Amino acid sequence: MKRVLLFTFMAAFMCAAQVSAKELRKIVFKVDQMECVNCENKVKKNIPFEKGVKKMETDLKTRTVTITYDSDKTNIQKLKEGFAKFKYEAKVISDVEVK
C-alpha cells in the first residue's frame, strides 16, 4: 500500500514539474551604443533587472549582449524596451530555444 501511494505521489509530482517547466531562450543583441566600459556597465546594471532575465553576458569587443530569458515572462520586444529606457537600441542577431 505504501509503495502504491509513493508511486502515485511521485507520478503526480513529475507531471506537475513538466507542466511548470520554463521555456528558456537565448537571444543575442547587437548594441552599437555600447562603445566603452562605462556603456557596458550601464547595460550590466540595468538589463538583469528586467522581468524574466535569467542570465546575461556582454562582449564589449563585438558590442553584443547575450541574454537567457524565460519566454513565459518576457519577450524580445520587452527586452528591447529595457535597452530603450537608457537610450540604447538593441538589434536581434539570433534567438534560439535553450534545451
Side-chain angles (χ1 to χ4, degrees):
M1 181 68 172
K2 288 183 181 179
R3 285 185 183 165
V4 171
L5 274 163
L6 181 60
F7 178 74
T8 303
F9 175 75
M10 288 181 67
F13 178 75
M14 291 185 72
C15 288
Q18 283 183 338
V19 169
S20 67
K22 298 176 184 177
E23 183 182 343
L24 294 180
R25 298 191 66 82
K26 184 182 278 190
I27 189 165
V28 179
F29 287 110
K30 177 75 169 180
V31 184
D32 289 327
Q33 295 85 358
M34 196 170 70
E35 300 174 337
C36 65
V37 173
N38 290 330
C39 300
E40 182 181 32
N41 286 335
K42 187 183 288 189
V43 172
K44 287 180 177 180
K45 289 179 182 177
N46 289 284
I47 297 303
F49 296 104
E50 292 295 320
K51 186 176 181 179
V53 173
K54 300 298 179 191
K55 182 179 175 185
M56 186 192 75
E57 299 170 2
T58 59
D59 186 339
L60 185 56
K61 188 176 181 180
T62 61
R63 296 183 185 182
T64 58
V65 179
T66 303
I67 299 172
T68 302
Y69 67 98
D70 181 348
S71 63
D72 291 336
K73 294 184 179 180
T74 193
N75 58 44
I76 294 171
Q77 187 57 39
K78 289 179 184 176
L79 292 171
K80 284 180 159 187
E81 289 168 4
F83 284 95
K85 288 177 186 176
F86 50 94
K87 310 274 192 269
Y88 282 16
E89 182 183 2
K91 299 173 188 167
V92 177
I93 295 176
S94 71
D95 180 33
V96 296
E97 184 176 353
V98 177
K99 301 209 179 199

